[in-house]
Amino acid sequence: QVQLVESGGGLVQAGDSLRLSCTASGRTFSEAAMGWFRQAPGKEREFVSGVSRSGERYYADSVKGRFTISRDNAKNTVSLQMNSLKPDDTAVYYCAKTRRVAFFASYAYVSNQNSYETWGQGTQVTVVS
């Protein structure tokens, strides 16, 4: 059974940076797209960023230019570098893994929560002004 373990959350000041990491168990990491989602208090979970098997990266408009996603198939790891953090970025961040997918994946697929079959436990990111 695949498990995802996130790390790297914390409490920071506005304008600071954080790096989230997610490590997957199992052997199918390279066959899946990976994504980051977040859920703020009182709000629905939303797409933040995703990366296809081919390495193509997708971002929500709210984080474009500030966040960078990367994956390392040799280490079964996906990371999210978050710069210029804002209080609005405060949320629990979840790593997620799709089922086996084609090498190329569209934004529509990567940003859809229903595409993902495995989720991490979440890591809290709090940004104070």
Side-chain angles (χ1 to χ4, degrees):
Q1 183 177 354
V2 176
Q3 289 186 322
L4 302 176
V5 178
E6 300 113 331
S7 62
L11 173 67
V12 297
Q13 299 273 347
D16 285 352
S17 299
L18 275 177
R19 185 177 181 85
L20 305 183
S21 293
C22 171
T23 301
S25 62
R27 301 180 179 180
T28 60
F29 181 86
S30 63
E31 300 173 356
M34 298 296 297
W36 287 96
F37 293 78
R38 68 186 182 187
Q39 187 167 20
K43 295 186 177 181
E44 294 189 351
R45 189 164 57 187
E46 64 176 5
F47 171 74
V48 175
S49 181
V51 57
S52 69
R53 289 180 58 197
S54 67
E56 188 157 9
R57 306 173 185 183
Y58 299 100
Y59 301 95
D61 287 343
S62 59
V63 306
K64 203 171 291 183
R66 300 187 297 122
F67 291 11
T68 302
I69 191 171
S70 59
R71 67 185 296 165
D72 184 338
N73 290 339
K75 296 182 179 180
N76 279 15
T77 298
V78 60
S79 299
L80 186 68
Q81 177 66 41
M82 306 186 295
N83 298 330
S84 302
L85 282 162
K86 305 174 181 179
D88 284 350
D89 296 317
T90 295
V92 177
Y93 283 70
Y94 297 92
C95 170
K97 176 180 172 293
T98 69
R99 59 192 65 85
R100 293 179 181 179
V101 295
F103 193 65
F104 299 102
S106 66
Y107 176 87
Y109 181 85
V110 172
S111 63
N112 187 342
Q113 297 186 47
N114 293 327
S115 300
Y116 295 85
E117 65 175 1
T118 305
W119 293 81
Q121 81 286 355
T123 185
Q124 177 70 47
V125 172
T126 302
V127 184
V128 298
S129 57

